[in-house]
Amino acid sequence: MLLARDGRPLHRRVVAVAVAALMATAASPGAWQTPAADAGKPDVTTLAWGDNGSGQLGDGTTIHRSTPVSVCAPGRTAPCTRFLTDVVGIAAGTTNSLALRKDGTVLAWGDNDSGQLGDGTTINRRTPVRVCAPGQTAPCTRFLTDVVDIAAGTSHSLALRKDGTVLAWGNNGGGQLGDGTSTNRRTPVRVCAPGQTAPCTQFLTHVHTITAHGGHSLALRKDDTVVAWGTNGFGQLGDGTTINRRTPVRVCAPGQTAPCTQFLTHVHAIAAGRTHSLALGKDGTAFAWGENGFGELGDGTTTNRRAPVRVCAPGQTAPCTRFLTHVSTITAGGRHSLALAKDAALAWGNNDLGQLGDGTTTDRNTPVRVCAPGQTAPCTRFLTHVHTIDGGGQHSLALVDDQRPRHWFVP
């Protein structure tokens, strides 16, 4: 997820979709707010590029694109003459895409085999369709409204509403929709409250931020605690177990084992990798849990963790005695993690394609600094003046203060 220096999300894991006019002026929790959200400023355009086998680029075709194309307006067919506007937030699943509009409605397009587009069907869509309101069946006559944040996992989708409740739809095989079942949903359902079982009578509330990746979902609540649900084979839910959860569970405090009696608190931001999770504490410390086979937890080991551990300081080896501090931003790629700390861009985890940006292809189990453009290992100059960062599946992005995006990976 792309994050601002203050740690607030600016957009969700964009794999194939981007909004022109990359810099944001403000961010509501979890949504990439573009200048289109500001009165009197011109609309931005929604662009997409890359794999398009399921129509996830939204241009009305299934033709792969190596350069950006405009996403069509709802109801259009190729060749489109009208295009998607009024967008303030975007998110990408593996082969589907979501857009949050200024009016609080949500559009979706691409792969729909699990119902992840939320239009009541399992039909792939090459151009955007509106996400249905809860309880609707196709053809829907009412549509989702009052949304302030969106997120996408591999084949499920989430929406945060103004009232602090969370809705989910799509694949639910691991419980990632949080409705107490493992039934796929073609239209949104409410995420249950912790401790509920289906059919739930109480639902998750007071949520500030949502994120998702792979088959798990996370929510940061307004009391600065974190809940998680879905697949948990590597401990990515942080509840001390490897048991999949169909309703939210609280993330344990560091050092706890199941059944936990203390829980993670004072959290400022969250991020989800494919099978690992991150949290940023209000004191600028970073925590991680879940899969660690590539060092993506940054604790100096490659041991999976079922509860949060502190991320080590650069240069440390396990058992670490110093830990990462002064962190303002965290984000997660597929199997790597990134942070901004004191204006330095740091990365750790999987590095087979150079996604850590340290000039090598060596995996790192503690943070290393991202090199400056033009450097080769061992680097003597490092990336500075970083405003935002993002981790993709196997690549990384940074936006520096001159507002020009940088990316790093080894082709």
Side-chain angles (χ1 to χ4, degrees), residues 108-155:
W109 60 97
D111 187 17
N112 198 26
D113 61 350
S114 298
Q116 58 264 47
L117 302 190
D119 70 338
T121 77
T122 54
I123 300 169
N124 292 358
R125 304 293 186 177
R126 299 180 183 180
T127 58
V129 292
R130 288 189 291 176
V131 174
C132 298
Q136 290 282 289
T137 56
C140 300
T141 57
R142 293 187 298 111
F143 300 92
L144 188 58
T145 59
D146 296 322
V147 175
V148 296
D149 190 7
I150 52 176
T154 294
S155 53

Side-chain angles (χ1 to χ4, degrees), residues 227-283:
V227 294
W229 61 96
T231 57
N232 197 28
F234 296 94
Q236 59 263 46
L237 301 189
D239 71 336
T241 77
T242 54
I243 301 169
N244 292 355
R245 303 295 186 177
R246 298 178 182 179
T247 58
V249 291
R250 290 189 292 175
V251 174
C252 298
Q256 290 283 290
T257 56
C260 300
T261 57
Q262 296 180 327
F263 301 93
L264 192 62
T265 59
H266 301 98
V267 176
H268 177 63
I270 52 175
R274 185 177 303 168
T275 47
H276 74 289
S277 304
L278 303 173
L280 171 60
K282 286 191 167 183
D283 61 357

Side-chain angles (χ1 to χ4, degrees), residues 3-51:
L3 293 161
R5 185 174 291 159
D6 65 3
R8 295 182 300 177
L10 293 180
H11 77 84
R12 294 294 172 190
R13 197 171 49 86
V14 177
V15 175
V17 181
V19 172
L22 183 61
M23 280 301 296
T25 58
S28 66
W32 179 9
Q33 294 281 15
T34 72
D38 295 332
K41 293 190 177 182
D43 260 323
V44 295
T45 301
T46 310
L47 303 175
W49 59 95
D51 178 24

Side-chain angles (χ1 to χ4, degrees), residues 9-200:
L10 293 180
H11 77 84
R12 294 294 172 190
R13 197 171 49 86
V14 177
V15 175
V17 181
V19 172
L22 183 61
M23 280 301 296
T25 58
S28 66
W32 179 9
Q33 294 281 15
T34 72
D38 295 332
K41 293 190 177 182
D43 260 323
V44 295
T45 301
T46 310
L47 303 175
W49 59 95
D51 178 24
N52 198 26
S54 299
Q56 60 264 46
L57 302 190
D59 69 339
T61 77
T62 55
I63 300 169
H64 305 318
R65 306 291 186 177
S66 58
T67 57
V69 292
S70 294
V71 176
C72 298
R76 310 303 285 185
T77 56
C80 299
T81 55
R82 292 179 54 201
F83 300 97
L84 184 57
T85 59
D86 297 326
V87 173
V88 295
I90 52 177
T94 299
T95 52
N96 67 289
S97 306
L98 300 172
L100 173 62
R101 305 192 85 172
K102 283 194 292 187
D103 63 1
T105 62
V106 180
L107 300 173
W109 60 97
D111 187 17
N112 198 26
D113 61 350
S114 298
Q116 58 264 47
L117 302 190
D119 70 338
T121 77
T122 54
I123 300 169
N124 292 358
R125 304 293 186 177
R126 299 180 183 180
T127 58
V129 292
R130 288 189 291 176
V131 174
C132 298
Q136 290 282 289
T137 56
C140 300
T141 57
R142 293 187 298 111
F143 300 92
L144 188 58
T145 59
D146 296 322
V147 175
V148 296
D149 190 7
I150 52 176
T154 294
S155 53
H156 75 288
S157 305
L158 301 175
L160 172 63
R161 304 187 85 172
K162 288 180 181 178
D163 63 1
T165 61
V166 181
L167 300 171
W169 60 96
N171 186 23
N172 199 24
Q176 55 264 53
L177 302 189
D179 71 337
T181 78
S182 56
T183 304
N184 293 353
R185 303 294 185 178
R186 300 178 184 180
T187 57
V189 292
R190 292 181 69 180
V191 175
C192 298
Q196 290 284 291
T197 56
C200 300

